[in-house]
Every structure is written in C-alpha cells, then in structure tokens.
Amino acid sequence: MSKRLVAYFSASGVTKRAAEMVAEAVGADLYEITPKVRYTDADLNWMDKKSRSSVEMSDKKIRPEIITGDIDVAPYDEILIGFPIWWYVAPTIINTFLESYDFSGKKIVLFATSGGSGFGNTVRELQPSAPNAQIVEGKLLNGANKQSVSKWVETL
Ligand SMILES: Cc1cc2nc3c(=O)[nH]c(=O)nc-3n(C[C@H](O)[C@H](O)[C@H](O)COP(=O)(O)O)c2cc1C
C-alpha cells in the first residue's frame, strides 16, 4: 500500500476539520501548510478589494510565504492536499507549497471545502507548480462526516 500524507491549508478551521477526518480515514500523517503570516478576519474579507486575500487572488503570480523545512515529502507516494476554495480555485498558497518541495513522480489528490463552488480551474492552475506530479481532482468535502469521508477514501 502506498504511503500517504494529508497536507492542508485552512484559514478559518473548516478544511482543518475535513483534513483530520481524511487523515484518520486513510491512516495518513497530517501536516498543516502554515502561512508565515496568519490570515486575519480582515485579510479574508472578499468584499474588500484591497484585503490581503483579494490582492493575492487577483494576481496569480503572488506566492504567499509559508513555513518550510518542517516536512520531508520524499517518503510519501501519494499526497492528499486540502484547502478552502477562494475565488473559485485553490488559494495561491497551495502553489507556494507545491513549489517548495519536490513532488516529482507523486500522485496528488485534491480535496476542498467551500461555500458551494466546485474546483473550477484548480487543477490547471496548480499543475505548473508541480509539473512532474500527477494532480487529480478529488472531492469537495462540504458537510462531510466520518462516514462520507471513509466512503470517498475507499475509492482512492
Ligand atoms: C477570500 C475568500 C474567498 C472565497 N471564495 C469562495 C468561492 O469562490 N466560492 C465558494 O463557494 N466559497 C468561497 N469562500 C468560502 C470558503 O471556501 C469556505 O468558507 C471554506 O470552507 C473555508 O475554509 P477554511 O475554514 O478551511 O478556511 C471564500 C472564502 C474566502 C475567505
């Protein structure tokens, strides 16, 4: 069986809860993708065009800094990456994570939480950050519970 890591970014805790369920269901290690500077409520205000998240998501070249060096991804064959959907895609901090380590030859399965939106162009926007990895759209885990998460991970 392949060795799996669950890595997640969560600004307000929803994806964190989903990631914990996924890690438990697959018996995987759990790793939090941590921004160097945490997002405040004001940073997350999507109604404010000048908020940090609005500015970051309006220029997809921006790479929010993360804490690195505290995980070795080499031993893992499959990495499940979770995040909230921001402006219909993954936050660019996920690009930062993918560009910070070598994911060559690995399978990356995505999961997300949102207010209702799907993955949109997420795979297309993440792939250039890990060109030699196989990135697949996994599941939107809105309202997920242990049972539904277990059912999903069985299909992986
Ligand atoms: C900046 C920002 C942009 C968002 N954009 C979307 C969106 O485009 N579609 C959507 O359904 N939800 C959107 N949401 C809602 C989040 O995806 C949702 O609340 C998510 O579960 C939060 O996860 P977290 O607590 O792990 O950060 C957005 C939230 C924020 C803060």
Short mmCIF file of all heavy atoms in Angstrom, two decimals, residues 15 19 29 31 35 47 54 60 84 89-90 95 97-98 100 104 111 113 116 119 121 126-127 139 144 154:
data_model
loop_
_atom_site.label_atom_id
_atom_site.label_comp_id
_atom_site.label_asym_id
_atom_site.label_seq_id
_atom_site.Cartn_x
_atom_site.Cartn_y
_atom_site.Cartn_z
N THR A 15 -11.62 23.49 6.67
CA THR A 15 -10.82 22.48 5.95
C THR A 15 -9.98 21.67 6.93
O THR A 15 -9.71 20.49 6.70
CB THR A 15 -9.92 23.17 4.90
OG1 THR A 15 -10.71 24.07 4.13
CG2 THR A 15 -9.26 22.15 3.98
N ALA A 19 -9.70 17.76 6.90
CA ALA A 19 -8.39 17.12 6.75
C ALA A 19 -8.15 16.09 7.86
O ALA A 19 -7.59 15.02 7.63
CB ALA A 19 -7.29 18.18 6.76
N ASP A 29 -0.36 10.49 7.74
CA ASP A 29 0.18 11.57 8.55
C ASP A 29 -0.53 12.86 8.15
O ASP A 29 -0.95 13.01 7.00
CB ASP A 29 1.68 11.71 8.32
CG ASP A 29 2.43 10.46 8.78
OD1 ASP A 29 1.94 9.78 9.70
OD2 ASP A 29 3.50 10.17 8.20
N TYR A 31 -0.37 17.11 8.02
CA TYR A 31 0.55 18.25 8.02
C TYR A 31 -0.20 19.53 7.68
O TYR A 31 -0.94 19.58 6.70
CB TYR A 31 1.67 18.02 6.99
CG TYR A 31 2.58 19.20 6.85
CD1 TYR A 31 3.51 19.51 7.85
CD2 TYR A 31 2.52 20.03 5.73
CE1 TYR A 31 4.34 20.62 7.74
CE2 TYR A 31 3.35 21.13 5.61
CZ TYR A 31 4.25 21.41 6.61
OH TYR A 31 5.07 22.51 6.50
N PRO A 35 0.93 29.52 6.83
CA PRO A 35 1.44 30.79 6.28
C PRO A 35 2.41 31.44 7.27
O PRO A 35 2.22 31.32 8.48
CB PRO A 35 0.19 31.65 6.13
CG PRO A 35 -0.92 30.95 6.79
CD PRO A 35 -0.49 29.56 7.15
N MET A 47 -15.23 40.91 0.31
CA MET A 47 -15.98 42.07 -0.16
C MET A 47 -15.05 43.28 -0.34
O MET A 47 -15.41 44.25 -1.00
CB MET A 47 -17.05 42.45 0.88
CG MET A 47 -17.89 41.30 1.35
SD MET A 47 -19.19 40.92 0.20
CE MET A 47 -20.43 42.04 0.82
N SER A 54 -7.98 39.27 -1.36
CA SER A 54 -8.39 39.81 -2.66
C SER A 54 -7.18 40.17 -3.50
O SER A 54 -7.13 39.87 -4.70
CB SER A 54 -9.27 41.06 -2.49
OG SER A 54 -10.45 40.74 -1.81
N LYS A 60 -2.29 35.94 -9.84
CA LYS A 60 -1.97 34.53 -9.58
C LYS A 60 -0.47 34.26 -9.53
O LYS A 60 -0.04 33.13 -9.28
CB LYS A 60 -2.65 33.62 -10.61
CG LYS A 60 -4.18 33.67 -10.56
CD LYS A 60 -4.71 33.05 -9.28
CE LYS A 60 -6.21 33.21 -9.10
NZ LYS A 60 -7.03 32.65 -10.15
N PRO A 84 -9.42 25.61 1.30
CA PRO A 84 -10.72 26.23 1.01
C PRO A 84 -10.69 26.75 -0.42
O PRO A 84 -9.63 27.12 -0.93
CB PRO A 84 -10.77 27.41 1.99
CG PRO A 84 -9.33 27.75 2.25
CD PRO A 84 -8.55 26.47 2.12
N VAL A 89 -11.16 28.83 -7.06
CA VAL A 89 -9.99 27.94 -7.22
C VAL A 89 -9.27 27.76 -5.89
O VAL A 89 -9.69 28.30 -4.87
CB VAL A 89 -8.98 28.50 -8.26
CG1 VAL A 89 -9.50 28.37 -9.69
CG2 VAL A 89 -8.57 29.92 -7.93
N ALA A 90 -8.13 27.05 -5.93
CA ALA A 90 -7.30 26.90 -4.72
C ALA A 90 -6.58 28.22 -4.44
O ALA A 90 -6.16 28.91 -5.37
CB ALA A 90 -6.27 25.80 -4.94
N ASN A 95 0.00 26.83 -4.40
CA ASN A 95 1.10 26.87 -5.38
C ASN A 95 2.43 27.02 -4.64
O ASN A 95 3.43 26.39 -5.00
CB ASN A 95 0.93 28.06 -6.33
CG ASN A 95 -0.29 27.93 -7.22
OD1 ASN A 95 -1.39 28.26 -6.80
ND2 ASN A 95 -0.12 27.44 -8.44
N PHE A 97 3.21 25.94 -1.69
CA PHE A 97 3.55 24.63 -1.11
C PHE A 97 4.10 23.70 -2.18
O PHE A 97 5.14 23.06 -1.97
CB PHE A 97 2.30 24.04 -0.44
CG PHE A 97 2.50 22.67 0.15
CD1 PHE A 97 3.36 22.48 1.22
CD2 PHE A 97 1.83 21.57 -0.36
CE1 PHE A 97 3.56 21.21 1.76
CE2 PHE A 97 2.01 20.30 0.18
CZ PHE A 97 2.88 20.12 1.24
N LEU A 98 3.42 23.65 -3.32
CA LEU A 98 3.87 22.73 -4.39
C LEU A 98 5.25 23.11 -4.91
O LEU A 98 6.04 22.25 -5.29
CB LEU A 98 2.85 22.72 -5.54
CG LEU A 98 1.49 22.11 -5.21
CD1 LEU A 98 0.55 22.26 -6.39
CD2 LEU A 98 1.62 20.63 -4.83
N SER A 100 7.59 24.48 -3.15
CA SER A 100 8.57 24.45 -2.06
C SER A 100 9.21 23.07 -1.87
O SER A 100 10.20 22.95 -1.14
CB SER A 100 7.90 24.86 -0.74
OG SER A 100 7.39 26.17 -0.85
N SER A 104 7.91 15.32 -7.75
CA SER A 104 8.08 14.54 -8.99
C SER A 104 7.70 13.08 -8.79
O SER A 104 8.14 12.46 -7.81
CB SER A 104 9.54 14.60 -9.46
OG SER A 104 9.90 15.93 -9.69
N PHE A 111 -8.62 17.84 -2.18
CA PHE A 111 -9.95 17.95 -1.58
C PHE A 111 -10.11 19.39 -1.08
O PHE A 111 -9.12 20.09 -0.88
CB PHE A 111 -10.19 16.91 -0.46
CG PHE A 111 -9.30 17.04 0.75
CD1 PHE A 111 -9.71 17.77 1.86
CD2 PHE A 111 -8.07 16.42 0.79
CE1 PHE A 111 -8.91 17.87 2.99
CE2 PHE A 111 -7.24 16.52 1.91
CZ PHE A 111 -7.66 17.24 3.01
N THR A 113 -13.00 22.56 0.78
CA THR A 113 -14.30 22.97 1.31
C THR A 113 -14.61 24.34 0.69
O THR A 113 -13.70 25.04 0.25
CB THR A 113 -14.33 23.08 2.85
OG1 THR A 113 -13.52 24.19 3.28
CG2 THR A 113 -13.85 21.80 3.50
N GLY A 116 -19.89 26.49 -1.62
CA GLY A 116 -20.74 25.84 -2.62
C GLY A 116 -20.04 25.64 -3.95
O GLY A 116 -20.40 24.75 -4.71
N PHE A 119 -14.27 22.84 -7.85
CA PHE A 119 -12.84 23.07 -8.04
C PHE A 119 -12.52 24.03 -9.20
O PHE A 119 -11.43 24.57 -9.26
CB PHE A 119 -12.12 21.74 -8.31
CG PHE A 119 -11.99 20.87 -7.10
CD1 PHE A 119 -12.96 19.92 -6.79
CD2 PHE A 119 -10.89 21.01 -6.26
CE1 PHE A 119 -12.83 19.11 -5.66
CE2 PHE A 119 -10.76 20.20 -5.12
CZ PHE A 119 -11.73 19.26 -4.84
N ASN A 121 -11.07 25.79 -12.14
CA ASN A 121 -9.80 25.59 -12.86
C ASN A 121 -8.65 25.19 -11.95
O ASN A 121 -7.49 25.34 -12.32
CB ASN A 121 -9.39 26.89 -13.57
CG ASN A 121 -10.20 27.11 -14.82
OD1 ASN A 121 -10.63 26.16 -15.48
ND2 ASN A 121 -10.42 28.37 -15.15
N LEU A 126 -2.82 24.65 -10.62
CA LEU A 126 -1.80 24.07 -9.72
C LEU A 126 -0.74 23.27 -10.48
O LEU A 126 0.41 23.20 -10.06
CB LEU A 126 -2.47 23.15 -8.68
CG LEU A 126 -3.36 23.82 -7.64
CD1 LEU A 126 -3.91 22.76 -6.68
CD2 LEU A 126 -2.61 24.90 -6.85
N GLN A 127 -1.15 22.67 -11.60
CA GLN A 127 -0.23 21.75 -12.31
C GLN A 127 1.15 22.36 -12.62
O GLN A 127 2.17 21.71 -12.40
CB GLN A 127 -0.90 21.22 -13.58
CG GLN A 127 -0.14 20.08 -14.26
CD GLN A 127 -0.13 18.77 -13.46
OE1 GLN A 127 -1.14 18.11 -13.31
NE2 GLN A 127 1.04 18.40 -12.94
N LYS A 139 -12.28 15.44 -4.01
CA LYS A 139 -13.68 15.65 -3.61
C LYS A 139 -13.87 16.94 -2.82
O LYS A 139 -13.01 17.33 -2.04
CB LYS A 139 -14.11 14.45 -2.77
CG LYS A 139 -15.61 14.30 -2.68
CD LYS A 139 -15.98 12.96 -2.08
CE LYS A 139 -17.44 12.88 -1.69
NZ LYS A 139 -18.39 13.13 -2.76
N ALA A 144 -19.07 17.20 5.12
CA ALA A 144 -18.65 15.79 5.19
C ALA A 144 -18.69 15.29 6.63
O ALA A 144 -18.54 16.06 7.58
CB ALA A 144 -17.24 15.65 4.63
N GLU A 154 -12.06 5.20 0.30
CA GLU A 154 -12.03 3.81 -0.19
C GLU A 154 -11.87 3.75 -1.71
O GLU A 154 -11.40 2.77 -2.26
CB GLU A 154 -13.33 3.09 0.18
CG GLU A 154 -13.30 2.47 1.57
CD GLU A 154 -14.67 1.97 1.99
OE1 GLU A 154 -15.50 1.67 1.10
OE2 GLU A 154 -14.91 1.89 3.21
#
